[in-house]
Amino acid sequence: MSRRHSFYARPLLAAVSAVTVLAGTAAAAPSDASSGRSTATATASALDDTYYQDALGKTGAELKSALHTIISDQTKLSYSQVWDALKATDEDPADSSNVVLLYTGRSQSKNDNGGNVGQWNREHVWAKSHGDFGTATGPGTDVHHLRPTDVKVNSTRGNKDFDNGGSELGAAPGNFTDSDSFEPRDEVKGDVARMILYMAVRYEGNDSFADLEPNDQVNNGSAPKMGKLSVLKQWSQEDPPDTFEKRRNDVIFDRFQHNRNPFIDHPEWVGAIW
């Protein structure tokens, strides 16, 4: 079931923009004093000269393989450490005591987290049952696809694939769902797409976890697949990375996992691979 949108697309930022890498360490975050990574401001071109140098000029499977090698060099968090990481990565820029919830866009106290109705919890954007990795250290704790969400909305999304269509959620206007898919609000469609595609590059089946891959269908069940690829590609193109998403990528890189989501830094690589 599909429908047409009056799509809200954020303006594209300059191709070579400053990427602010924030200093500091959140509670319970693993330290990485010996990493040699700078907390100074870096530019997109500087990342290409250093972090992404082995991926430049490549396309298709060759690019995917190069990015996999690059982003697999990361610090892994425990599932309990994810709470503190999300309080930093998804901090409300207008209120440092709050986080912004992915699907509702609601700003809520960082400390109002848990499993009760009205609280926020940890949403696996790549549903953890798709590949059966649960909350295991690795894909189950990778903050690049874990986001704070309203408990009830998280439950409604469940492990559904992503696609256009369905009925609007009363608890989260702008989000739609039907029996086999979930459509997030326009403002985060691209974020969702880039998180799914990050997971497909990072987890290739060579580290005791399943080979995660996008496909162009829904109802993927427990298979290590997530859809719907054609829709995700459209979402990524129509909703380019904004300041919030770029800052989030920087915070994860600098303070927690020390790896990046390449599709935030280079959205054009989505089409270069898929």
Side-chain angles (χ1 to χ4, degrees):
M1 181 177 183
S2 64
R3 59 190 177 81
R4 292 187 178 273
H5 296 281
S6 175
F7 200 89
Y8 169 83
R10 291 170 287 214
L12 282 166
L13 300 178
V16 181
S17 58
V19 179
T20 304
V21 182
L22 304 180
T25 303
S31 63
D32 193 37
S34 63
S35 70
R37 294 181 175 89
S38 173
T39 57
T41 299
T43 64
S45 59
L47 287 171
D48 285 351
D49 290 341
T50 55
Y51 191 72
Y52 292 122
Q53 60 181 338
D54 291 337
L56 299 182
K58 298 176 179 176
T59 59
E62 190 179 12
L63 175 58
K64 187 169 184 271
S65 177
L67 291 176
H68 169 72
T69 299
I70 292 167
I71 67 178
S72 294
D73 181 11
Q74 71 179 94
T75 297
K76 296 178 181 178
L77 307 184
S78 70
Y79 198 45
S80 62
Q81 286 175 319
V82 168
W83 286 120
D84 289 310
L86 294 182
K87 292 175 183 179
T89 60
D90 291 73
E91 181 177 289
D92 185 346
D95 186 344
S96 62
S97 65
N98 286 7
V99 292
V100 178
L101 308 192
L102 177 64
Y103 299 132
T104 61
R106 186 171 75 238
S107 179
Q108 187 159 338
S109 170
K110 292 179 178 179
N111 297 322
D112 192 15
N113 60 302
N116 297 324
V117 173
Q119 292 185 310
W120 66 268
N121 61 3
R122 297 161 291 186
E123 154 78 323
H124 290 79
V125 177
W126 184 294
K128 58 183 181 288
S129 63
H130 290 230
D132 195 29
F133 53 76
T135 59
T137 299
T141 64
D142 195 317
V143 186
H144 277 295
H145 86 116
L146 281 156
R147 299 292 291 266
T149 59
D150 176 86
V151 167
K152 184 177 180 181
V153 178
N154 189 346
S155 178
T156 299
R157 186 264 159 144
N159 68 347
K160 295 174 182 176
D161 293 272
F162 292 102
D163 195 5
N164 291 317
S167 301
E168 189 169 22
L169 274 65
N175 298 265
F176 296 78
T177 193
D178 55 24
S179 62
D180 56 19
S181 69
F182 188 88
E183 178 186 347
R185 60 193 176 102
D186 289 344
E187 294 87 344
V188 297
K189 279 182 164 67
D191 308 51
V192 166
R194 287 180 284 273
M195 285 186 279
I196 294 297
L197 299 177
Y198 161 86
M199 293 292 283
V201 171
R202 171 60 186 87
Y203 298 98
E204 294 279 54
N206 55 2
D207 52 3
S208 77
F209 296 106
D211 179 8
L212 306 182
E213 294 294 340
N215 64 7
D216 211 37
Q217 65 185 56
V218 294
N219 276 327
N220 279 298
S222 62
K225 310 290 185 183
M226 282 291 295
K228 193 171 183 181
L229 178 58
S230 58
V231 173
L232 294 171
K233 288 172 63 179
Q234 177 188 359
W235 290 354
S236 181
Q237 183 176 14
E238 292 179 331
D239 176 37
D242 67 357
T243 301
F244 187 92
E245 190 180 3
K246 290 182 176 183
R247 175 194 175 275
R248 189 175 197 277
N249 200 22
D250 292 338
V251 173
I252 294 172
F253 177 68
D254 190 56
R255 296 169 58 177
F256 296 99
Q257 296 185 178
H258 311 302
N259 71 340
R260 303 184 69 82
N261 183 332
F263 303 113
I264 296 173
D265 297 321
H266 282 279
E268 73 277 9
W269 281 346
V270 172
I273 295 175
W274 290 282

